[in-house]
PDB file of all heavy atoms in Angstrom:
ATOM      1  N   LYS A 104       4.799   2.876 -11.478  1.00  0.00           N
ATOM      2  CA  LYS A 104       3.917   1.817 -10.964  1.00  0.00           C
ATOM      3  C   LYS A 104       2.461   2.262 -11.030  1.00  0.00           C
ATOM      4  O   LYS A 104       1.582   1.528 -11.498  1.00  0.00           O
ATOM      5  CB  LYS A 104       4.337   1.496  -9.522  1.00  0.00           C
ATOM      6  CG  LYS A 104       3.342   0.737  -8.684  1.00  0.00           C
ATOM      7  CD  LYS A 104       3.440  -0.752  -8.923  1.00  0.00           C
ATOM      8  CE  LYS A 104       2.549  -1.507  -7.937  1.00  0.00           C
ATOM      9  NZ  LYS A 104       3.215  -1.874  -6.710  1.00  0.00           N
ATOM     10  N   ASN A 150       3.501   6.234   2.978  1.00  0.00           N
ATOM     11  CA  ASN A 150       4.740   5.625   2.470  1.00  0.00           C
ATOM     12  C   ASN A 150       4.776   5.477   0.945  1.00  0.00           C
ATOM     13  O   ASN A 150       5.845   5.516   0.350  1.00  0.00           O
ATOM     14  CB  ASN A 150       5.030   4.299   3.173  1.00  0.00           C
ATOM     15  CG  ASN A 150       4.005   3.248   2.902  1.00  0.00           C
ATOM     16  OD1 ASN A 150       2.846   3.543   2.614  1.00  0.00           O
ATOM     17  ND2 ASN A 150       4.410   1.996   2.986  1.00  0.00           N
ATOM     18  N   PHE A 151       3.584   5.277   0.333  1.00  0.00           N
ATOM     19  CA  PHE A 151       3.495   5.299  -1.135  1.00  0.00           C
ATOM     20  C   PHE A 151       2.400   6.302  -1.488  1.00  0.00           C
ATOM     21  O   PHE A 151       1.273   5.943  -1.797  1.00  0.00           O
ATOM     22  CB  PHE A 151       3.193   3.900  -1.695  1.00  0.00           C
ATOM     23  CG  PHE A 151       4.370   2.965  -1.611  1.00  0.00           C
ATOM     24  CD1 PHE A 151       4.566   2.163  -0.492  1.00  0.00           C
ATOM     25  CD2 PHE A 151       5.309   2.920  -2.635  1.00  0.00           C
ATOM     26  CE1 PHE A 151       5.667   1.331  -0.404  1.00  0.00           C
ATOM     27  CE2 PHE A 151       6.407   2.074  -2.553  1.00  0.00           C
ATOM     28  CZ  PHE A 151       6.590   1.279  -1.433  1.00  0.00           C
ATOM     29  N   ILE A 155      -0.373   4.061  -3.884  1.00  0.00           N
ATOM     30  CA  ILE A 155      -1.505   3.468  -3.154  1.00  0.00           C
ATOM     31  C   ILE A 155      -2.807   4.236  -3.439  1.00  0.00           C
ATOM     32  O   ILE A 155      -3.823   3.610  -3.760  1.00  0.00           O
ATOM     33  CB  ILE A 155      -1.188   3.306  -1.648  1.00  0.00           C
ATOM     34  CG1 ILE A 155      -0.058   2.272  -1.488  1.00  0.00           C
ATOM     35  CG2 ILE A 155      -2.436   2.883  -0.865  1.00  0.00           C
ATOM     36  CD1 ILE A 155       0.393   2.018  -0.057  1.00  0.00           C
ATOM     37  N   TRP A 158      -3.815   2.989  -6.816  1.00  0.00           N
ATOM     38  CA  TRP A 158      -4.295   1.621  -6.990  1.00  0.00           C
ATOM     39  C   TRP A 158      -5.607   1.362  -6.249  1.00  0.00           C
ATOM     40  O   TRP A 158      -6.243   0.345  -6.472  1.00  0.00           O
ATOM     41  CB  TRP A 158      -3.215   0.582  -6.753  1.00  0.00           C
ATOM     42  CG  TRP A 158      -2.926   0.049  -5.387  1.00  0.00           C
ATOM     43  CD1 TRP A 158      -3.812  -0.423  -4.457  1.00  0.00           C
ATOM     44  CD2 TRP A 158      -1.626  -0.183  -4.842  1.00  0.00           C
ATOM     45  NE1 TRP A 158      -3.128  -0.893  -3.368  1.00  0.00           N
ATOM     46  CE2 TRP A 158      -1.796  -0.766  -3.573  1.00  0.00           C
ATOM     47  CE3 TRP A 158      -0.318   0.043  -5.324  1.00  0.00           C
ATOM     48  CZ2 TRP A 158      -0.724  -1.124  -2.768  1.00  0.00           C
ATOM     49  CZ3 TRP A 158       0.740  -0.312  -4.519  1.00  0.00           C
ATOM     50  CH2 TRP A 158       0.539  -0.881  -3.256  1.00  0.00           C
ATOM     51  N   THR A 225      -5.163   1.292   3.852  1.00  0.00           N
ATOM     52  CA  THR A 225      -3.805   0.768   4.003  1.00  0.00           C
ATOM     53  C   THR A 225      -3.143   1.566   5.108  1.00  0.00           C
ATOM     54  O   THR A 225      -3.183   2.803   5.093  1.00  0.00           O
ATOM     55  CB  THR A 225      -2.987   0.893   2.708  1.00  0.00           C
ATOM     56  OG1 THR A 225      -3.630   0.139   1.679  1.00  0.00           O
ATOM     57  CG2 THR A 225      -1.568   0.369   2.883  1.00  0.00           C
ATOM     58  N   GLU A 248      -5.182  -3.341   4.453  1.00  0.00           N
ATOM     59  CA  GLU A 248      -3.857  -3.897   4.190  1.00  0.00           C
ATOM     60  C   GLU A 248      -2.949  -3.272   5.228  1.00  0.00           C
ATOM     61  O   GLU A 248      -2.810  -2.050   5.275  1.00  0.00           O
ATOM     62  CB  GLU A 248      -3.463  -3.527   2.756  1.00  0.00           C
ATOM     63  CG  GLU A 248      -2.590  -4.564   2.120  1.00  0.00           C
ATOM     64  CD  GLU A 248      -1.151  -4.246   2.341  1.00  0.00           C
ATOM     65  OE1 GLU A 248      -0.666  -3.303   1.728  1.00  0.00           O
ATOM     66  OE2 GLU A 248      -0.520  -4.952   3.160  1.00  0.00           O
ATOM     67  N   ARG A 281       8.053   0.329   4.289  1.00  0.00           N
ATOM     68  CA  ARG A 281       7.320  -0.391   3.279  1.00  0.00           C
ATOM     69  C   ARG A 281       6.729  -1.604   3.970  1.00  0.00           C
ATOM     70  O   ARG A 281       7.463  -2.299   4.697  1.00  0.00           O
ATOM     71  CB  ARG A 281       8.370  -0.839   2.258  1.00  0.00           C
ATOM     72  CG  ARG A 281       7.907  -1.137   0.902  1.00  0.00           C
ATOM     73  CD  ARG A 281       9.128  -1.216   0.011  1.00  0.00           C
ATOM     74  NE  ARG A 281       8.721  -1.449  -1.348  1.00  0.00           N
ATOM     75  CZ  ARG A 281       9.484  -1.238  -2.406  1.00  0.00           C
ATOM     76  NH1 ARG A 281      10.717  -0.785  -2.251  1.00  0.00           N
ATOM     77  NH2 ARG A 281       9.048  -1.475  -3.618  1.00  0.00           N
ATOM     78  N   CYS A 282       5.463  -1.870   3.776  1.00  0.00           N
ATOM     79  CA  CYS A 282       4.901  -3.035   4.466  1.00  0.00           C
ATOM     80  C   CYS A 282       5.520  -4.320   3.927  1.00  0.00           C
ATOM     81  O   CYS A 282       5.468  -5.349   4.573  1.00  0.00           O
ATOM     82  CB  CYS A 282       3.398  -3.062   4.356  1.00  0.00           C
ATOM     83  SG  CYS A 282       2.823  -3.081   2.669  1.00  0.00           S
ATOM     84  N   THR A 283       6.120  -4.247   2.735  1.00  0.00           N
ATOM     85  CA  THR A 283       6.761  -5.418   2.145  1.00  0.00           C
ATOM     86  C   THR A 283       8.268  -5.479   2.442  1.00  0.00           C
ATOM     87  O   THR A 283       8.968  -6.339   1.905  1.00  0.00           O
ATOM     88  CB  THR A 283       6.603  -5.385   0.611  1.00  0.00           C
ATOM     89  OG1 THR A 283       7.070  -4.111   0.161  1.00  0.00           O
ATOM     90  CG2 THR A 283       5.162  -5.577   0.183  1.00  0.00           C
ATOM     91  N   VAL A 440       9.910  -7.272  -1.872  1.00  0.00           N
ATOM     92  CA  VAL A 440       9.105  -6.081  -2.155  1.00  0.00           C
ATOM     93  C   VAL A 440       8.422  -6.144  -3.525  1.00  0.00           C
ATOM     94  O   VAL A 440       8.746  -7.002  -4.348  1.00  0.00           O
ATOM     95  CB  VAL A 440       9.985  -4.811  -2.100  1.00  0.00           C
ATOM     96  CG1 VAL A 440      10.477  -4.581  -0.698  1.00  0.00           C
ATOM     97  CG2 VAL A 440      11.146  -4.907  -3.077  1.00  0.00           C
ATOM     98  N   GLY A 441       7.500  -5.236  -3.722  1.00  0.00           N
ATOM     99  CA  GLY A 441       6.923  -5.045  -5.050  1.00  0.00           C
ATOM    100  C   GLY A 441       5.619  -5.787  -5.269  1.00  0.00           C
ATOM    101  O   GLY A 441       5.226  -6.677  -4.517  1.00  0.00           O
ATOM    102  N   GLY A 442       4.950  -5.364  -6.304  1.00  0.00           N
ATOM    103  CA  GLY A 442       3.696  -5.959  -6.727  1.00  0.00           C
ATOM    104  C   GLY A 442       3.447  -5.428  -8.119  1.00  0.00           C
ATOM    105  O   GLY A 442       4.130  -4.505  -8.556  1.00  0.00           O
ATOM    106  N   PHE A 448      -2.645  -8.317  -4.704  1.00  0.00           N
ATOM    107  CA  PHE A 448      -1.660  -7.960  -3.687  1.00  0.00           C
ATOM    108  C   PHE A 448      -2.335  -7.974  -2.318  1.00  0.00           C
ATOM    109  O   PHE A 448      -3.403  -7.392  -2.136  1.00  0.00           O
ATOM    110  CB  PHE A 448      -1.111  -6.551  -3.963  1.00  0.00           C
ATOM    111  CG  PHE A 448      -0.106  -6.088  -2.943  1.00  0.00           C
ATOM    112  CD1 PHE A 448       1.250  -6.347  -3.109  1.00  0.00           C
ATOM    113  CD2 PHE A 448      -0.514  -5.424  -1.799  1.00  0.00           C
ATOM    114  CE1 PHE A 448       2.175  -5.948  -2.153  1.00  0.00           C
ATOM    115  CE2 PHE A 448       0.401  -5.011  -0.839  1.00  0.00           C
ATOM    116  CZ  PHE A 448       1.752  -5.274  -1.019  1.00  0.00           C
TER     117      PHE A 448
HETATM  118  C1  LIG B   1       5.703  -2.549  -2.839  1.00  0.00           C
HETATM  119  O1  LIG B   1       6.448  -3.241  -2.164  1.00  0.00           O
HETATM  120  O2  LIG B   1       6.076  -1.991  -3.847  1.00  0.00           O
HETATM  121  O3  LIG B   1       2.331   0.026   2.222  1.00  0.00           O
HETATM  122  C2  LIG B   1       4.299  -2.366  -2.486  1.00  0.00           C
HETATM  123  C3  LIG B   1       3.051  -0.752   1.602  1.00  0.00           C
HETATM  124  C4  LIG B   1       2.391  -1.698   0.642  1.00  0.00           C
HETATM  125  C5  LIG B   1       2.815  -1.518  -0.737  1.00  0.00           C
HETATM  126  C6  LIG B   1       4.137  -2.118  -1.029  1.00  0.00           C
HETATM  127  N1  LIG B   1       0.976  -1.541   0.742  1.00  0.00           N
HETATM  128  O4  LIG B   1       4.251  -0.758   1.771  1.00  0.00           O
END
Side-chain angles (χ1 to χ4, degrees):
K104 163 84 173 270
N150 65 334
F151 287 90
I155 294 179
W158 87 48
T225 299
E248 211 268 288
R281 203 166 183 162
C282 58
T283 53
V440 294
F448 179 90

